[in-house]
Amino acid sequence: MGTTANNIRNIAIVGHSGEGKTTLTEAILFNGGAIERMGKIENGTTVSDFDAEEIARKMSVSLSLSYTEWKGVKLNLIDVPGFYDFEGEFDEAMRASGAALVVTGANGAVTVGAEKAVNLCLRDKKPLVIFINGMDKDNADYHGTVKALQERFKGKIAPIQIPIMEGNKMTGVVNALTGKAYRFTPAGPEEISVPEEYHRDLETMFLSLQETAAENDDVLLEKYFEDGALSREDTIHGIRKGIFSINVIPVMAGSALQNKGVINLMNEIVKYMPEAAERQALPALDLNKNTVVGITCSDGPLAAQIFKTAVDPFVGKMNYLRINRGTLKSGMTVRNTVTDTDERIGSLYLVRGKKLEAVQELGAGDLGAVAKLSNTGTGDTLCAPDSPVRFDPLPR
């Protein structure tokens, strides 16, 4: 696949500890064909939690980068620890990502971690989607959880799915935006007719989504007032615009452990989450002109930022970075405008947990890693020597 900024989604997976972020990452990687089977936290076999301390604790301690491909789109996934002790990891992930996936349990309430994650995404102006996990549990309360979210984040929460339930178990979903229903099968979601008992809920939810869509676009608002309704195409356009402007937070549901609803979630991420190319211009200091400029995700002189530094037991010092503009190639000489030194780029990698895949270059919008830079660390800017810029440091 030719990877460009138009077919990259950089997603931070955040939320309270123990809500299933790492398991959801496993399910996404499995569905995308990046791994042959889903690992388990209790067995220490997940892609994200590969460090010895994480395996022993059975929890994430450090953010982990991985990727897969889905429907022609590269999904860069950043699994972020949920405990407050690791808030620095959250800030690093926010700098690297273009959007967030907030994972919360179906317990009828809003966990402290989920609330904090949503508030930080709103603060950092990161589009987000909420995934209500654990719908396979007997006491799962989807509607109670949605209601709690709506009360906590008034005017922003927009559920776009209706779970199809048999007893206490979720067996499928109705997508209110498309009007289609799916039954979960071992081979993946299978489209079915919308069950009759969900027709009224579907109509009510779609009417609500039309109102939400109209509120995010003046043209749609005028059309809504004139016609009293919006088409599905117009509604989808308005919802996507609302997501992009952080006015709308869509809500979906499923079970990461059972890999139910995850493919539907991946489809919506590809459809609604912003492309890397749509990222807002990042402020940076142009050191030639001593003025602040906006760096867009495009071709041009290299401008990249290190969002995390770690030590690999085999490769040594690793710097994880996002390419904000231009292309980083193996063999290049770049300028670190924080340490005021030149660095020669040796090995470049795509990262999937502890596995490194050597590549010759990384393009605008992509995430990867570079090994063995002597004078470079977290927050540093790497750029073309003749076009020196410096990004804001990461929060400390």
Side-chain angles (χ1 to χ4, degrees), residues 48-338:
S48 298
D49 291 352
F50 58 86
D51 182 83
E53 186 176 358
E54 293 176 317
I55 293 172
R57 291 190 179 193
K58 294 181 171 53
M59 57 174 278
S60 300
V61 172
S62 176
L63 72 78
S64 177
L65 183 62
S66 58
Y67 75 96
T68 192
E69 295 171 9
W70 187 251
K71 295 194 171 181
V73 170
K74 183 183 181 188
L75 302 178
N76 284 322
L77 309 172
I78 309 171
D79 183 11
V80 184
F83 274 114
Y84 301 134
D85 296 355
F86 310 121
E87 190 168 332
E89 304 287 326
F90 185 96
D91 291 331
E92 292 170 355
M94 287 293 100
R95 187 59 60 93
S97 64
L101 172 56
V102 177
V103 184
T104 189
N107 50 21
V110 181
T111 61
V112 174
E115 180 180 6
K116 186 172 184 180
V118 172
N119 284 330
L120 289 174
C121 288
L122 296 175
R123 178 201 70 182
D124 293 341
K125 295 180 171 56
K126 295 291 182 181
L128 66 150
V129 60
I130 294 175
F131 183 74
I132 298 177
N133 192 25
M135 289 299 295
D136 56 307
K137 298 178 180 178
D138 290 337
N139 60 347
D141 184 0
Y142 170 79
H143 296 290
T145 306
V146 169
K147 183 178 179 181
L149 288 165
Q150 290 172 328
E151 290 175 352
R152 194 64 54 88
F153 304 104
K154 296 185 184 300
K156 290 187 177 292
I157 300 299
I160 61 174
Q161 284 184 344
I162 305 167
I164 296 175
M165 306 295 290
E166 292 183 9
N168 294 323
K169 296 301 175 75
M170 182 179 179
T171 59
V173 293
V174 180
N175 187 311
L177 281 171
T178 63
K180 296 180 179 180
Y182 301 89
R183 179 175 61 237
F184 300 145
T185 74
E190 176 184 277
E191 188 173 344
I192 59 173
S193 299
V194 177
E196 187 173 347
E197 61 267 32
Y198 293 97
H199 283 187
R200 178 174 293 182
D201 288 344
L202 174 59
E203 182 180 353
T204 301
M205 186 175 287
F206 185 59
L207 286 173
S208 176
L209 289 170
Q210 289 179 61
E211 293 179 8
T212 301
E215 291 168 357
N216 288 283
D217 187 290
D218 291 340
V219 174
L220 294 182
L221 184 61
E222 185 175 341
K223 185 183 293 188
Y224 183 73
F225 281 139
E226 288 180 355
D227 301 338
L230 294 177
S231 67
R232 291 201 182 277
E233 291 74 17
D234 284 341
T235 303
I236 289 171
H237 171 74
I239 291 296
R240 190 178 193 277
K241 194 169 182 178
I243 293 170
F244 189 80
S245 61
I246 334 291
N247 288 326
V248 175
I249 303 174
V251 178
M252 303 183 68
S255 166
L257 186 63
Q258 300 292 331
N259 197 11
K260 293 180 177 179
V262 180
I263 286 178
N264 303 77
L265 172 67
M266 294 167 69
N267 290 337
E268 304 308 309
I269 287 174
V270 166
K271 190 170 186 177
Y272 296 108
M273 289 292 100
E275 303 166 359
E278 295 177 312
R279 189 208 68 213
Q280 295 180 348
L282 297 175
L285 181 64
D286 184 325
L287 298 177
N288 281 336
K289 301 177 181 178
N290 198 32
T291 58
V292 175
V293 296
I295 303 294
T296 59
C297 185
S298 60
D299 294 333
L302 173 71
Q305 186 171 31
I306 307 299
F307 64 87
K308 182 175 180 60
T309 302
V311 177
D312 184 276
F314 301 103
V315 182
K317 183 180 178 182
M318 295 286 295
N319 283 297
Y320 297 83
L321 75 171
R322 181 175 75 172
I323 311 300
N324 294 326
R325 184 182 67 190
T327 302
L328 181 65
K329 298 182 179 181
S330 180
M332 286 178 65
T333 296
V334 299
R335 188 69 175 172
N336 184 325
T337 54
V338 175

